Amino acid sequence: MSKILVIFGTRPEAIKLFPVIRALAETPGLVVRTCVTAQHRGLLDQVLAIADLAPDIDLDLMEPGQTLDRLTARLLVGLGEVVDAERPDLVMVQGDTATAMTGALAAYYRKVPVAHVEAGLRSGDIYQPWPEEVNRRIVAPIAALHFAPTETAADALRRETIAADTVHVTGNTVIDALHWTADRVAADPSLAAGLDEIVVRFAGKRIILVTTHRRENFGDGMAAIARAIGRIAERDDVAVLFPVHPNPNVVSVMDDILGDRANVARIEPLDYPHFVRALGMAEIVLTDSGGVQEEAPALGKPVLVMRETTERPEGIAAGTAKLIGTDEDRIVSEIFTLLDDRTAYAAMARAHNPFGDGHAAARIAEIIAKGFAQHAV
């Protein structure tokens, strides 16, 4: 039996890894152990609950307002101790968080091979997104297996002289998670019944779903986003559904600028079933998130990305997403164009989703099992 230690710490990591953990656990010859750092405590726990996933190890390292260097140091020491205790044959990390970066580094220090899920995303700017762009670049030369969501991501790795036979295009596991969760909500609507009140409140209105939390938008960018939301919500035919990230840099700005508005529902962060339902309710998605750029197109929702660059250029190329930055007037203009120009809306809503078919996790499990069988990992 080969032991795989899967390390994660944030809500997006949990969403994108729970299908993989399930697939690995069902694969003969593999033993799966999970370690969460709880880099995001409450948001992480929401996903663990819906996925019925109980971590084997919980480091519970979240602290209010901790700096990146303090977090990184605590993660590296804590995860190093876990790798020492578990003695895995392979460590798996996902994406570009501090947990992913330090998990890979802790494994490398012990000469344990690393598998990187969602490998190869690049924006080309080390400060956009910050610090995620550098985190994922650090993982790349360490990893023995690179599971790229798209051919574009795979090409980025090859250009960095990553060995071609270690790069595998699998699709993005978030599409697996999205379909699985959507099916569960359809079978049991009570899983997302917390939005019933919003459905009644905004009946007959066109819903704009907003998510924003990127560090590079803190300050002036977040203030511009808040003002734009206020202007958008002045339209009688529009309502804004806004699950507010708990970071004080987001909450305080929205409190100061948006306040209470009849057409804006500022709500607590949604667990994943409620978020999937919210995506289905929305006509347009306005976000600075990375993962939402993959999820929304799978449901035919145009995505306006409030960033200057994206590590997911496939969505831009396919026409499902558009980079618009954080200029207040630009945000308002782009939203109004999609609301008022049905041709423009249809062009984005009907564009091809380039991020996967919902079977990425099975491909990853098969590749890993084959690698162990051939002693290639």
Side-chain angles (χ1 to χ4, degrees):
M1 302 290 282
S2 300
K3 181 192 283 191
I4 301 172
L5 176 63
V6 184
I7 296 172
F8 56 104
T10 67
R11 176 182 182 232
E13 286 169 292
I15 290 169
K16 294 182 177 185
L17 281 174
F18 83 72
V20 183
I21 293 168
R22 286 174 173 272
L24 291 171
E26 294 170 358
T27 301
L30 301 181
V31 174
V32 184
R33 296 277 290 174
T34 54
C35 172
V36 299
T37 63
Q39 184 180 333
H40 294 167
R41 178 78 269 174
L43 300 180
L44 169 69
D45 289 346
Q46 292 175 353
V47 181
L48 296 177
I50 185 61
D52 193 24
L53 183 61
D56 298 301
I57 304 150
D58 190 335
L59 296 182
D60 197 23
L61 292 179
M62 182 175 176
E63 287 183 351
Q66 64 185 331
T67 61
L68 286 173
D69 47 4
R70 176 171 171 77
L71 171 63
T72 299
R74 296 175 69 226
L75 286 168
L76 186 57
V77 172
L79 290 173
E81 292 172 350
V82 170
V83 177
D84 285 337
E86 290 291 319
R87 300 178 63 84
D89 298 294
L90 181 71
V91 165
M92 175 175 285
V93 298
Q94 193 282 330
D96 49 26
T97 66
T99 292
M101 183 267 288
T102 53
L105 197 56
Y108 167 70
Y109 285 162
R110 290 152 181 84
K111 297 185 178 180
V112 177
V114 172
H116 188 197
V117 177
E118 199 181 56
L121 276 63
R122 297 291 184 270
S123 72
D125 182 341
I126 64 170
Y127 296 109
Q128 300 276 351
W130 174 82
E132 289 84 356
E133 177 75 2
V134 164
N135 285 344
R136 56 187 170 231
R137 291 197 200 185
I138 290 172
V139 177
I142 292 173
L145 289 171
H146 307 261
F147 298 119
T150 66
E151 191 60 44
T152 299
D155 284 342
L157 291 166
R158 297 181 194 114
R159 287 195 300 271
E160 294 172 7
T161 68
I162 300 296
D165 61 352
T166 68
V167 178
H168 305 272
V169 179
T170 61
N172 199 303
T173 59
V174 77
I175 307 301
D176 302 37
L178 179 71
H179 291 324
W180 182 87
T181 305
D183 289 345
R184 285 205 61 187
V185 171
D188 183 3
S190 68
L191 292 172
L195 289 175
D196 288 352
E197 183 180 341
I198 298 294
V199 172
V200 173
R201 175 180 169 184
F202 291 156
K205 293 186 181 292
R206 303 162 74 181
I207 293 176
I208 313 296
L209 176 63
V210 177
T211 70
T212 179
H213 70 280
R214 296 243 67 88
R215 286 185 178 89
E216 60 266 28
N217 285 341
F218 290 170
D220 291 344
M222 198 61 63
I225 291 169
R227 291 192 298 270
I229 292 170
R231 288 171 59 185
I232 292 164
E234 290 174 359
R235 287 181 53 141
D236 292 335
D237 62 333
V238 167
V240 175
L241 179 56
F242 186 1
V244 181
H245 194 281
N247 191 299
N249 291 289
V250 179
V251 175
S252 61
V253 173
M254 298 305 158
D255 284 344
D256 291 344
I257 295 176
L258 272 180
D260 294 323
R261 295 172 184 257
N263 279 2
V264 179
R266 286 198 292 144
I267 61 177
E268 295 293 316
L270 298 171
D271 65 19
Y272 199 54
H274 283 89
F275 180 73
V276 171
R277 184 181 182 189
L279 275 178
M281 293 162 51
E283 186 160 340
I284 301 166
V285 179
L286 181 65
T287 188
D288 63 10
S289 167
V292 179
Q293 296 175 51
E294 301 153 348
E295 293 160 312
L299 299 181
K301 309 296 180 175
V303 187
L304 297 177
V305 184
M306 297 181 291
R307 291 163 59 173
E308 300 301 328
T309 61
T310 180
E311 63 277 46
R312 294 165 172 86
E314 300 92 340
I316 307 299
T320 64
K322 187 175 185 179
L323 283 173
I324 64 170
T326 58
D327 178 78
E328 175 187 345
D329 291 337
R330 175 81 186 277
I331 294 171
V332 174
S333 173
E334 295 286 354
I335 287 285
F336 285 2
T337 294
L338 289 178
L339 289 171
D340 298 331
D341 185 339
R342 302 313 295 175
T343 301
Y345 182 91
M348 293 188 73
R350 296 173 185 164
H352 168 66
N353 175 26
F355 294 109
D357 58 5
H359 300 288
R363 293 187 186 100
I364 290 170
E366 181 180 357
I367 291 165
I368 288 175
K370 184 177 179 181
F372 278 123
Q374 298 176 345
H375 306 287
V377 177

